[in-house]
Amino acid sequence: MQRKQFTQLLNDILKPDSIADFCPNGLQVEGANEVKKIVTGVTASQALIDAAIEHGADTILVHHGYFWKGESQPITGMKKRRIAALLAHDINLFAYHLPLDVHPVIGNNAQLAHLLDIELSAGLEAGPNSVAVKGFLKTPLTGKEFADKISTVLHREPLTSLVRDDKIETIAWCTGGGQGYIDLAAAQGIDAYLTGEASEQTIHSSREQGIDFFAAGHHATERYGIKALGELLAEQHGFDVTFIDIDNPV
């Protein structure tokens, strides 16, 4: 498929124009005109680029790409080396951030809910395209039981603040660095909040507002949207797609 058609295909699936973001979504670095062999991964790190080169990929598709608002603009050092490698090997870099978080089927939030047996019911924020969402556990669990489930499914022990005695029924979540939404979840009387990261003040919010909290890792909670997108492209459009998981303990 030609790069222009592939870009339109991704935009049709993820609808990036429907949500404001902190980075450009779509084609970030132009490479080969024809898209045949795709590597997917969470972040466009040097390690992922090197792996894509080794696999002979013409396209890399990630959740965390480049050119974030507020970052240093000069293309030097680490950024220069990454982009130079892409250009030298004529590799396209496509990145979709919030559009991949919020997609109702293949998005990070939806995929995490599927893995952890959570029923998604609505957005946590008012209006369309809420980045954080809410729902309920299909089988209510104690905080300890839910933490154990996270460890088993995501292969990562979560950081927890368990402040309730009752089982968790309602839950809100946002993959990645979504810890700031805990106060909104608490204000809505939700039993627990799940995200990737924690800040110092997050634990105080949990303790003082009586809401169980789980930080299961930014990378660990966001592996699954980009993987699902790649699988969709392979199954429905016949692309050669390889998901490469570059381990990250954060």
Side-chain angles (χ1 to χ4, degrees):
M1 184 180 289
Q2 298 296 297
R3 182 180 60 248
K4 184 176 180 181
Q5 294 173 290
F6 184 70
T7 303
Q8 188 59 54
L9 172 62
L10 291 175
N11 289 343
D12 288 344
I13 295 169
L14 295 169
K15 299 177 174 54
D17 291 339
S18 68
I19 186 168
D21 210 337
F22 316 104
C23 62
N25 287 292
L27 181 63
Q28 291 190 336
V29 178
E30 184 177 305
N33 189 49
E34 190 168 1
V35 176
K36 294 180 179 179
K37 192 166 188 177
I38 303 167
V39 160
T40 61
V42 177
T43 299
S45 64
Q46 188 68 56
L48 183 67
I49 294 169
D50 292 344
I53 292 169
E54 186 176 339
H55 275 71
D58 52 66
T59 299
I60 298 174
L61 178 56
V62 296
H63 179 49
H64 299 138
Y66 304 153
F67 313 116
W68 300 92
K69 289 181 182 178
E71 75 173 14
S72 177
Q73 293 184 5
I75 299 176
T76 59
M78 180 176 69
K79 185 189 294 186
K80 181 261 184 182
R81 291 191 294 273
R82 290 174 173 183
I83 293 175
L86 292 170
L87 294 175
H89 293 272
D90 206 23
I91 296 175
N92 296 295
L93 175 66
F94 288 85
Y96 289 88
H97 184 231
L98 294 183
L100 188 59
D101 286 320
V102 304
H103 192 281
V105 178
I106 61 170
N108 284 318
N109 286 332
Q111 288 293 306
L112 187 63
H114 173 71
L115 287 167
L116 295 176
D117 297 319
I118 301 171
E119 187 72 32
L120 193 160
S121 59
L124 186 64
E125 305 164 279
N129 290 323
S130 174
V131 179
V133 290
K134 61 184 176 181
F136 57 89
L137 297 187
K138 294 178 181 179
T139 301
L141 300 171
T142 66
K144 175 64 165 58
E145 289 170 338
F146 189 56
D148 289 344
K149 187 182 187 81
I150 292 170
S151 296
T152 299
V153 173
L154 301 188
H155 309 292
R156 187 186 192 282
E157 183 177 351
L159 182 154
T160 64
S161 173
L162 306 181
V163 297
R164 301 169 61 261
D165 294 326
D166 296 334
K167 288 188 175 183
I168 297 168
E169 296 185 8
T170 58
I171 185 167
W173 68 102
C174 177
T175 64
Q179 60 266 48
Y181 290 106
I182 188 174
D183 294 328
L184 185 56
Q188 296 182 28
I190 294 170
D191 296 336
Y193 183 69
L194 164 67
T195 188
E197 297 184 28
S199 299
E200 189 273 344
Q201 65 267 26
T202 313
I203 303 305
H204 297 296
S205 288
S206 166
R207 292 170 179 170
E208 294 176 32
Q209 297 182 93
I211 181 171
D212 288 338
F213 173 74
F214 305 84
H218 195 133
H219 179 85
T221 58
E222 295 199 324
R223 285 191 294 245
Y224 304 101
I226 198 69
K227 187 172 185 290
L229 176 58
E231 290 168 352
L232 182 152
L233 292 171
E235 294 168 6
Q236 297 188 12
H237 301 280
F239 287 102
D240 180 349
V241 182
T242 302
F243 172 71
I244 297 177
D245 188 22
I246 305 297
D247 183 57
N248 188 328
V250 172

